[in-house]
Amino acid sequence: MCEFIRLYMCMCICVCVCVGIVISMALALALCSPVPPPDSQECVCSPAARSLLSALTHIMEKEGKMKEQDLFAGFNCTDLEAQMTPHTHTSSVCQPSVSANSSCSAHRSSNFSAVECVKNIRGDLRYYDLLLNSYKPSTQELSPVITANTQLINCLNQRCESAEGVFPQWRVWKGSSFDDRVSLCKTLKGFHIRSITVNRALAYIASGEHRK
């Protein structure tokens, strides 16, 4: 009987020791495994980018004629040139990389950098965020664009790795109602064009093609 008890106790001790070793190994692996940076996870912000493009497209298709007011009253916005962000290089750095035997000579020949691309996209979004929020006449009709832009900024901050960039502010509002509405037209046209580029770039990053 005593032999049986001693054998049973030995078996219990062995089991406890083995369990302790397994737990210790699991903790060690958890502590030693590096936390993957945002860029190694899925940088998926395409839904937020599509929402922004949809909000901008709505204003441009309505030609500024919104529920409360005509944003572009007194001139034809269609005839005016788009005003692009002056301090970012999104259209060039977000061009997908192509193979050496590609005939698309207009594309960048260097390797695509998702970090640099997202950095410039964030610069664009911050620029338009400051600009549209400072539009004095009214931000009510611009609210869907401002909200969608903020949501995309938050998504990029949470899911995508990006180098920090310091971009100068560029003020376009002059205080004159007519001049500011003309500037608003040009700004929204430029933002609409840039939003198309942003959608394509983020879809390319999310696809993982740049890692191949």
Side-chain angles (χ1 to χ4, degrees), residues 84-121:
M84 307 300 294
T85 316
H87 49 250
T88 61
H89 307 283
T90 308
S91 58
S92 58
V93 299
C94 290
Q95 283 278 12
S97 56
V98 292
S99 59
N101 58 357
S102 172
S103 59
C104 300
S105 58
H107 285 198
R108 288 166 53 87
S109 57
S110 59
N111 292 332
F112 177 87
S113 170
V115 172
E116 191 67 22
C117 176
V118 173
K119 169 189 170 182
N120 279 267
I121 290 175

Side-chain angles (χ1 to χ4, degrees), residues 33-122:
S33 298
V35 176
D39 192 47
S40 65
Q41 302 172 3
E42 291 186 357
C43 177
V44 181
C45 290
S46 295
R50 286 194 297 269
S51 295
L52 175 59
L53 178 57
S54 176
L56 286 164
T57 300
H58 178 71
I59 291 180
M60 302 316 299
E61 287 182 345
K62 292 289 185 181
E63 296 180 349
K65 296 177 177 64
M66 311 307 289
K67 291 181 179 179
E68 301 296 330
Q69 62 178 318
D70 185 352
L71 296 174
F72 309 144
F75 59 91
N76 189 351
C77 181
T78 307
D79 294 338
L80 300 180
E81 293 182 357
Q83 187 167 275
M84 307 300 294
T85 316
H87 49 250
T88 61
H89 307 283
T90 308
S91 58
S92 58
V93 299
C94 290
Q95 283 278 12
S97 56
V98 292
S99 59
N101 58 357
S102 172
S103 59
C104 300
S105 58
H107 285 198
R108 288 166 53 87
S109 57
S110 59
N111 292 332
F112 177 87
S113 170
V115 172
E116 191 67 22
C117 176
V118 173
K119 169 189 170 182
N120 279 267
I121 290 175
R122 288 174 64 185

Side-chain angles (χ1 to χ4, degrees), residues 9-199:
M9 291 179 65
C10 288
M11 291 177 63
C12 289
I13 293 172
C14 289
V15 170
C16 291
V17 170
C18 290
V19 170
I21 293 174
V22 171
I23 293 175
S24 299
M25 291 177 63
L27 288 173
L29 287 172
L31 292 173
C32 295
S33 298
V35 176
D39 192 47
S40 65
Q41 302 172 3
E42 291 186 357
C43 177
V44 181
C45 290
S46 295
R50 286 194 297 269
S51 295
L52 175 59
L53 178 57
S54 176
L56 286 164
T57 300
H58 178 71
I59 291 180
M60 302 316 299
E61 287 182 345
K62 292 289 185 181
E63 296 180 349
K65 296 177 177 64
M66 311 307 289
K67 291 181 179 179
E68 301 296 330
Q69 62 178 318
D70 185 352
L71 296 174
F72 309 144
F75 59 91
N76 189 351
C77 181
T78 307
D79 294 338
L80 300 180
E81 293 182 357
Q83 187 167 275
M84 307 300 294
T85 316
H87 49 250
T88 61
H89 307 283
T90 308
S91 58
S92 58
V93 299
C94 290
Q95 283 278 12
S97 56
V98 292
S99 59
N101 58 357
S102 172
S103 59
C104 300
S105 58
H107 285 198
R108 288 166 53 87
S109 57
S110 59
N111 292 332
F112 177 87
S113 170
V115 172
E116 191 67 22
C117 176
V118 173
K119 169 189 170 182
N120 279 267
I121 290 175
R122 288 174 64 185
D124 288 328
L125 300 180
R126 287 173 180 172
Y127 164 78
Y128 287 113
D129 179 65
L130 291 171
L131 202 63
L132 296 180
N133 274 296
S134 66
Y135 183 67
K136 295 300 182 182
S138 173
T139 57
Q140 180 179 353
E141 301 295 351
L142 300 175
S143 179
V145 173
I146 294 174
T147 300
N149 189 42
T150 300
Q151 290 174 345
L152 181 52
I153 290 174
N154 292 337
C155 182
L156 293 176
N157 289 341
Q158 294 170 7
R159 299 191 178 189
C160 305
E161 183 182 4
S162 170
E164 288 298 323
V166 179
F167 300 105
Q169 295 186 24
W170 190 40
R171 303 185 183 279
V172 299
W173 313 129
K174 301 177 181 178
S176 164
S177 175
F178 181 81
D179 290 341
D180 284 351
R181 284 187 290 108
V182 169
S183 294
L184 178 64
C185 161
K186 294 179 178 180
T187 297
L188 289 175
K189 289 182 75 171
F191 196 8
H192 185 247
I193 295 171
R194 182 51 47 86
S195 180
I196 294 173
T197 302
V198 168
N199 270 264

